Amino acid sequence: MNRRWMAAVLLVLAAGPMLWTALEALRSGTQLDAWRSLPQEPGFWTAGALTLWTGLASTVLAWGCAAALLAQGFVRQRLDRLLRGLPVMLATPHAALAIGLLFLLSPSGWLLRAFSPWLTGFDNPPPWPTTQDPWGLGLILALVVKEVPFLLWTAATQLQRDDVRQRWRAEHALAQTLGYNPRRAFWLVLWPQLAVRLRWPLLAVLAYSLTVVDMALVIGPATPPTLAVLAWQWLQDAQPATYARGAAAGVLLALVVLGCSVIWLATQRLLRTALAHGRGVRGRSTPVPVRPGAGLWVLGGLYAGVLIALAVGSFSGVWAFPAMWPQNWTLDAWSQVVQSSRTAWGTLWLATLSSTIALAWSVAWLELAPPRWDQALRPVLYLPLVLPAVLWVVGLYGVGLRWQLEGSASGLLMTHTLMVLPYVLLALSPAYLGFDPRYAQLNASLGHGVWRWLWRVKWPLLRRSLASAAAVGFAVSVAQYLPTLYVGAGRFSTVTTEAVTLASGGQRSLTSAYAGLQILLPVLVFGLAAWLGRPRRFRHAQRP
C-alpha cells in the first residue's frame, strides 16, 4: 500500500466521524419552529449580548497580553524564562481554574478574607457580585487567564524552531540597523509573520470563548446566562421542542463564531497591511496593553493563588468568615475521593488511551499525507476546535445513537479521541513539519531503511515535541465535560464532571479536592513529558 492510500485511510478514520458529527449536529438544529421560538424566549437577547461581550473581550485581551509577553521575551532574549511556568498553567483544566478563582474572588473568598475585618469592617460576606456577576467580568478574567498560556505555548512552538528562530533573529537585527529600536522592530517585522502562523490557535480561543459552558456554569453570569449555557439547559430538557430549540441555539452559536472569525481575520489583515506600510506604530516604542513584566507576575500570581486556594480548601473543615485559615483541618474530602477511585481511574484510562491514539494518528498523518492534502484538510480536522461545544455534543450524541455507541466505553473513547486529536495535531505540527530534511537524505545515502530512520533518528530527536503533544492531549481529555455527560449517558464519571457538578453546591472541601485532582493528573503527565524530553547527555571518554 503506497503512502497516498495509507493517508486516505487515516483521513477516513478521523475526518469521516468529524464530518458525520458536524452534519448530524446541523441537521438537529435546522427545525424552523425552533428558530422561530428563539427570539421569543425570555433572556435570549441578553444572553446573546453577554456571549458577544465576554467572548470578544476575553479574546482581544488574551491576544494583546500574549503579544506583549512575547515581545518582551523575544527582545530581551528571555523566552526560556517566559515559558518556564507554562506546563503547570497548560495542565490546569478550565473548570478547575474557574473553581479556584471562585474561591479566591467570591464574597466569602480568600481575597476578601485577607482584608477583613481590619480594613473592610466586614464580619459577614457582603452581597457583592464579584463572581457570577451580571456583566460577565469574572468569566472574562477566567478566560483571559486560561487562554494567555495557550497562545504563548503555541507561539513558542514556532519560535523554538531553529530555522525560524535564526531567520527571525537575522531580520530583527537587520531592522535595528535601519534605525528601529528592538521592540518596534519586533512589532513591524516579526509580529506580522508570527500572527499569521497563530491564526488557528487564535480562532480556537475565539470559538471557545464564545461557546464555553463549564467555566460559564461555575463563574459566569447566571440570570440570564450566556447563550451557550442557555442552549445547554434547553438540550437537557426531555421535551422535543425544547431540545430542538437548544440545537438551534447551537447552530446560531456556530454562525456567530463564523461571523466573528471572518471579521477578526479581516481586521488582522488590515492591521498587517498597515504595519507593512509603516503605519500603526508610532514613536520610539510601541504601546502594549499591559506592562510585560508586571503581566507575567500577575498571571503567575493568579495561578499560584488558585492552586493554594484549592489545596487549602481541600483540607478545610469549619471555615467561618472572616477567618483567614480554617478553624480545623480534615482529610474527609480526600477520603471520599479515594473511596470514589473509579472516577479517577476512569479519567486516567480515557485520557491515556485517547491521547495515545491521537498522537499515533497525528504522527502517521504528518509522515504520510502529501503537503497539499494536509493544508487543504486542516479545516476539517480542526472542526472540534471551532464548532460550539453544545452543537458538537448534539452531533456526537446523534452519531452515538446511530452507531449504538451511546453509553458505552468505546463510544466515550471515540468522543474523547475526536476532541483530543486537533490539539495534538496542532501541538505537533510545527516541530514535525519543520524537521530538517537533510537528515533523511543522509540516512538514505547510508543505505538505511525508513523504519530505521524513524526509530533511530527522527523520533528520538523529536521526543520532546512528541511527549509534549501527548501531554497536551491528556490534559484536553481530562478537561472534557459536555462530551462525557452526553455520550457517556451518565454511566461514566470523571474528575471534571464531578468537580463541575459539586461547584454548584456548598461542599467547598470536596469541590476543591476534585478540582485539585483535575490539576494534579495533567501536571504529573506534563512532568513525565518534560523528563522524557530532556536533552541527552553524553559522557566524554577519559583519556588514559
Side-chain angles (χ1 to χ4, degrees), residues 211 213-214 217 232 389-390 393 479-488 497:
T211 63
V213 174
D214 51 357
L217 285 172
W232 170 240
V390 288
V393 295
Q480 293 305 308
Y481 174 65
L482 293 184
T484 306
L485 282 182
Y486 236 71
V487 181
T497 59

Side-chain angles (χ1 to χ4, degrees), residues 18 128 158 199 279 281 328 337 448 465 488 513:
M18 288 182 182
W128 292 352
Q158 300 288 341
R199 66 180 181 276
R279 300 189 300 271
V281 181
N328 64 332
V337 171
H448 298 311
S465 299

Side-chain angles (χ1 to χ4, degrees), residues 104-186:
L104 276 179
L105 305 176
S106 65
S108 61
W110 220 358
L111 190 62
L112 197 57
R113 287 172 183 266
F115 299 100
S116 301
W118 63 273
L119 182 60
T120 64
F122 294 138
D123 292 320
N124 295 297
W128 292 352
T130 52
T131 56
Q132 294 188 324
D133 60 284
W135 312 284
L137 299 180
L139 179 58
I140 290 173
L141 174 64
L143 287 169
V144 171
V145 171
K146 182 56 187 170
E147 300 303 349
V148 167
F150 173 70
L151 291 173
L152 288 176
W153 178 75
T154 51
T157 59
Q158 300 288 341
L159 293 171
Q160 289 177 339
R161 286 176 51 179
D162 289 337
D163 56 336
V164 174
R165 184 174 65 250
Q166 292 174 7
R167 176 165 55 85
W168 285 359
R169 285 288 181 195
E171 293 176 359
H172 189 252
L174 178 61
Q176 293 178 69
T177 63
L178 298 176
Y180 296 105
N181 63 36
R183 182 162 293 174
R184 191 177 181 190
F186 175 87

Side-chain angles (χ1 to χ4, degrees), residues 426-440:
L426 189 65
L428 187 60
S429 293
Y432 210 97
L433 297 177
F435 195 80
D436 194 337
R438 290 176 296 181
Y439 286 113

Side-chain angles (χ1 to χ4, degrees), residues 223-306:
T223 51
T226 59
L227 186 56
V229 174
L230 200 59
W232 170 240
Q233 293 172 353
W234 289 335
L235 288 171
Q236 290 181 297
D237 199 290
Q239 293 293 330
T242 308
Y243 181 89
R245 191 185 308 126
V251 175
L252 178 61
L253 279 171
L255 295 176
V256 169
V257 170
L258 178 62
C260 290
S261 300
V262 171
I263 294 172
W264 184 280
L265 292 176
T267 304
Q268 195 178 50
R269 179 171 294 182
L270 290 174
L271 291 174
R272 192 164 62 247
T273 303
L275 286 173
H277 289 83
R279 300 189 300 271
V281 181
R282 304 288 184 185
R284 294 183 56 83
S285 63
T286 304
V288 294
V290 296
R291 289 181 61 190
L296 189 59
W297 280 104
V298 170
L299 187 64
L302 282 172
Y303 272 91
V306 165

